[in-house]
């Protein structure tokens, strides 16, 4: 994609829009216009303590016309309107309701009642020594000239920004056109990039940064306004709004490069199968990924998998934003883009640290995960060193379970165990859960016999007599197998896990039966 051409087309569209929007751009300040502008010839009957801005001017020939006056407008009363004191009082009230900048009346002798009303309403009242229509025309010309200057300034700004290809370059260009003030790009309080400098700031102007593909809240382009200099906040805001397309263009371009650089870590097909026979060769095949994640042999880790809906289209900007947010969780732990999500590993030497990590992920990025329609899962803490694929499988399954309960949720595999199987319908994933949650049973040499006996036992509502009869076994033989199953970690006595255990055993028994039938067909 030609980003320069995209930015140029956006520039022409914006400039045409700015010309059609008279309210955008630099707005005149009433005190400045009174001191050096077209209103300097008027006499102040009352000056409001706080000055206001001027967006327009309107001649009012009759009282009803004031009801159509927009805010920040100088209301100029016609000669006929200014002839009657009660009309001026009524006009003041209407102008105050419409939040007008000032009211200009023909020069005459006005009672203290009219001036006192202007004071109570705190609205500036001016008397024109010349024809009010001439005052209005002069002010209109001054407003138009100010807008023309602003249009040129904004056009020069956008022309300069379209030449920049990096986010920092765009921010630097904005800062230079606004006198070197601090310009920053932030997401949910995380600083992405900045340019310029500031001393004691008098406030902040902020503009939401959204794209058509990403409607999430939290990303903003901000400007720090110095306290010791006079800055037109509306002009700064307009400049930031003009710069948003250039920032987005540079943002997409940066993410495109990062996406290409992350390709070696994205091919993780070998991480998810339940067959652990390939684990021995995993380190040789994925040395780049293990280096990127910071994996060291002999150290205990907990894996964190951030899951997204596989049916949802990939969005380039999400990876960069998630990596920025991830700094809140583990500033020195990288987040790698992988198949169906993002992966990180956190050193963890104690069992209770998993719960603390889960709470930290939820507190730091839980809201952002919900906005992005993502979820996260954590692996268990293992007393013994385990391979990277083993903890990644647990984290991925926990993340998918969390997503099925609702975007933004975060689950740990340790809190699910065999119950993770109840979230899935496909037998392959349920077998993965069995290998992870019941490793001793799956590694037992008499696994098939044990699975068949346990499935029958649960089919007969935990009746030893009925199950033994169905299996054509002695009751004591089945009792021995049940005792051995408990030693192998099968939760036969936990009512909360019994349904999931029954489901896993049925799937394993079905797979074993199919394998046996196929072997018999293939045998001579």
């Amino acid at each position: 994609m030609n980003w320069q051409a995209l930015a140029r087309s956006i520039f022409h569209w914006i400039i045409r829009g700015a010309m059609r929007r008279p309210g955008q751009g630099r707005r005149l300040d009433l005190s400045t216009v009174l001191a050096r502008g077209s209103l300097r010839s008027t006499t102040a009957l009352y000056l409001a303590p706080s000055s206001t801005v001027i967006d327009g001017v309107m001649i009012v020939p009759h009282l009803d016309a004031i009801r159509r006056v927009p805010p920040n407008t100088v209301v100029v009363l016609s000669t006929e309107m200014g002839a009657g004191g009660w009309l001026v009082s009524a006009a003041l009230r209407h102008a105050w309701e419409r939040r007008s900048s000032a009211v200009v009346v023909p020069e005459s002798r006005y009672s203290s009642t009219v001036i006192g009303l202007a004071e109570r309403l705190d609205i500036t009242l001016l008397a024109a020594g010349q024809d009010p229509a001439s005052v209005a025309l002069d002010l209109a010309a001054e407003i138009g000239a100010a807008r023309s200057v602003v249009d040129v300034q904004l056009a020069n700004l956008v022309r300069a920004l379209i030449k920049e290809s990096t986010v920092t370059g765009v921010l630097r260009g904005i800062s230079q056109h606004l006198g070197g003030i601090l310009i920053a790009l932030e997401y949910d309080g995380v600083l992405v990039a900045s340019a310029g400098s500031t001393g004691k700031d008098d406030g902040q102007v902020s503009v939401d940064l959204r794209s058509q593909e990403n409607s999430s809240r939290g990303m903003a382009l901000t400007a720090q306004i110095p306290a010791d200099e006079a800055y037109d906040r509306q002009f700064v805001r307009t400049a930031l709004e003009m710069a948003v397309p250039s920032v987005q263009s540079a943002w997409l371009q940066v993410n495109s490069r990062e996406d290409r650089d992350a390709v070696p870590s994205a091919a993780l097909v070998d991480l998810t199968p339940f067959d652990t026979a390939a684990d021995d060769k995993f380190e040789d095949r994925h040395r780049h990924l293990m280096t990127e994640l910071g994996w060291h042999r002999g150290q205990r880790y907990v894996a964190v998998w951030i899951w997204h809906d596989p049916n949802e289209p990939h969005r380039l900007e999400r990876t960069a934003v998630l990596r920025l947010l991830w700094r809140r969780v583990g500033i020195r732990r990288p987040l790698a883009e992988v198949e169906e999500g993002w992966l990180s590993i956190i050193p963890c030497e104690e069992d209770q640290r998993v719960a603390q990590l889960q709470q930290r992920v939820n507190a730091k990025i839980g809201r952002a995960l919900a906005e992005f329609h993502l979820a996260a899962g954590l692996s268990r803490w293992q007393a013994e060193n385990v391979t990277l694929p083993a903890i990644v499988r647990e984290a991925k399954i926990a993340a998918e379970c969390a997503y099925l309960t609702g975007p933004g949720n975060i689950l740990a595999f340790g809190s699910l165990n065999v119950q993770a199987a109840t979230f899935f319908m496909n037998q392959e994933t349920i077998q993965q859960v069995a290998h992870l949650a019941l490793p001793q049973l799956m590694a037992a040499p008499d696994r098939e016999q044990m699975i068949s006996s346990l499935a029958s036992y649960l089919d007969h509502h935990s009746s030893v007599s009925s199950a033994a009869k169905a299996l054509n076994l002695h009751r004591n033989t089945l009792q021995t197998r049940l005792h051995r199953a408990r030693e192998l970690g099968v939760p036969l006595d936990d009512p909360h896990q019994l349904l999931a255990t029954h489901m896993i055993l049925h799937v394993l028994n079905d797979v074993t039966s199919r394998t046996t039938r196929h072997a018999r067909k293939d045998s001579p």
Side-chain angles (χ1 to χ4, degrees), residues 208-369:
D208 288 340
L209 187 66
R210 302 185 182 186
S211 68
Q212 293 180 352
E213 294 183 354
N214 182 11
S215 60
S216 64
R217 300 184 299 277
M219 181 163 276
L221 189 62
T222 64
Q224 297 293 336
I225 306 298
D228 55 348
E229 297 184 35
Y231 270 84
D232 185 338
R233 288 174 175 268
Q234 181 59 30
F235 177 73
V236 172
R237 178 176 295 277
T238 303
L240 294 181
E241 291 173 348
M242 292 291 194
V244 164
S246 294
V247 175
Q248 290 174 334
S249 176
W251 180 258
L252 289 174
Q253 190 164 316
V254 169
N255 281 291
S256 179
R257 290 196 295 267
E258 287 189 358
D259 190 63
R260 291 195 299 270
D261 293 341
V263 167
S265 67
L268 294 181
V269 180
D270 293 326
L271 281 181
T272 54
F274 62 87
D275 183 8
T276 58
D279 286 357
D280 295 337
K281 299 180 180 179
F282 176 83
E283 187 171 346
D284 294 332
R285 289 197 304 269
H286 294 289
R287 196 171 298 278
H288 173 85
L289 171 66
M290 300 181 78
T291 301
E292 181 181 353
L293 291 174
W295 175 272
H296 296 285
R297 184 186 295 274
Q299 188 168 1
R300 296 183 180 89
Y301 294 92
V302 169
V304 180
W305 188 294
I306 299 177
W307 172 273
H308 72 84
D309 186 348
N311 297 319
E312 187 176 324
H314 177 64
R315 296 169 181 171
L316 294 176
E317 63 268 31
R318 284 197 303 184
T319 294
V321 171
L322 283 173
R323 283 172 174 164
L324 289 167
L325 291 172
W326 185 249
R327 295 177 186 174
R328 294 177 160 196
V329 179
I331 191 169
R332 293 182 177 85
R333 305 308 307 178
L335 187 70
E337 185 176 6
V338 295
E339 294 264 338
E340 299 176 321
W342 298 264
L343 171 66
S344 185
I345 55 174
I346 309 294
C348 196
E349 296 297 332
E350 299 176 0
D351 189 7
Q352 60 268 29
R353 290 292 300 276
V354 179
Q356 296 172 1
L357 178 59
Q358 183 178 358
Q359 293 173 359
R360 182 174 179 80
V361 173
N362 185 47
K364 298 298 183 179
I365 64 172
R367 184 171 66 87
L369 293 179

Side-chain angles (χ1 to χ4, degrees), residues 274 397 400 420-421 424-434:
F274 62 87
I397 289 174
E400 190 170 359
F424 304 99
M425 297 297 294
N426 61 307
Q427 291 189 347
E428 183 177 340
T429 305
I430 294 174
Q431 288 180 79
Q432 290 185 43
V433 174

Side-chain angles (χ1 to χ4, degrees), residues 65-277:
I66 301 183
R67 296 172 181 170
R68 299 191 298 272
V69 172
N72 301 317
T73 298
V74 174
V75 175
V76 179
L77 302 185
S78 65
T79 304
E80 294 77 12
M81 277 285 294
W86 70 272
L87 284 173
V88 176
S89 297
L92 280 171
R93 294 183 183 277
H94 284 303
W96 172 75
E97 291 175 354
R98 301 298 298 170
R99 303 196 305 278
S100 299
S101 303
V103 176
V104 180
V105 296
E107 191 170 42
S108 180
R109 296 181 63 85
Y110 291 98
S111 66
S112 59
T113 303
V114 172
I115 298 174
L117 177 62
E119 184 176 356
R120 288 197 302 275
L121 296 175
D122 197 28
I123 184 170
T124 297
L125 180 62
L126 307 172
Q130 55 180 315
D131 182 8
S134 299
V135 174
L137 289 174
D138 290 343
L139 181 56
E142 188 173 2
I143 294 172
R147 287 176 181 162
S148 297
V149 171
V150 169
D151 287 340
V152 172
Q153 292 174 336
L154 294 175
N156 290 336
L157 169 63
V158 179
R159 286 192 182 98
L161 296 185
I162 63 175
K163 299 176 183 178
E164 302 292 341
S165 60
T166 65
V167 173
T168 303
V170 173
L171 300 186
R172 188 183 301 115
I174 302 170
S175 177
Q176 291 172 351
H177 277 75
L178 294 179
I181 64 176
L182 180 64
I183 307 296
L185 180 63
E186 299 178 352
Y187 183 86
D188 200 19
V190 178
L191 181 65
V192 178
S194 65
S197 61
T198 184
K200 182 181 179 182
D201 63 273
D202 189 35
Q204 178 177 284
V205 176
S206 181
V207 174
D208 288 340
L209 187 66
R210 302 185 182 186
S211 68
Q212 293 180 352
E213 294 183 354
N214 182 11
S215 60
S216 64
R217 300 184 299 277
M219 181 163 276
L221 189 62
T222 64
Q224 297 293 336
I225 306 298
D228 55 348
E229 297 184 35
Y231 270 84
D232 185 338
R233 288 174 175 268
Q234 181 59 30
F235 177 73
V236 172
R237 178 176 295 277
T238 303
L240 294 181
E241 291 173 348
M242 292 291 194
V244 164
S246 294
V247 175
Q248 290 174 334
S249 176
W251 180 258
L252 289 174
Q253 190 164 316
V254 169
N255 281 291
S256 179
R257 290 196 295 267
E258 287 189 358
D259 190 63
R260 291 195 299 270
D261 293 341
V263 167
S265 67
L268 294 181
V269 180
D270 293 326
L271 281 181
T272 54
F274 62 87
D275 183 8
T276 58

Side-chain angles (χ1 to χ4, degrees), residues 490-511:
V490 182
L492 296 177
D493 303 317
D494 186 347
H496 298 292
Q497 300 188 67
L498 207 55
L499 176 61
T501 303
H502 195 181
M503 179 179 178
I504 289 174
L505 292 170
H506 254 292
V507 169
L508 295 176
N509 200 31
D510 288 345
V511 171

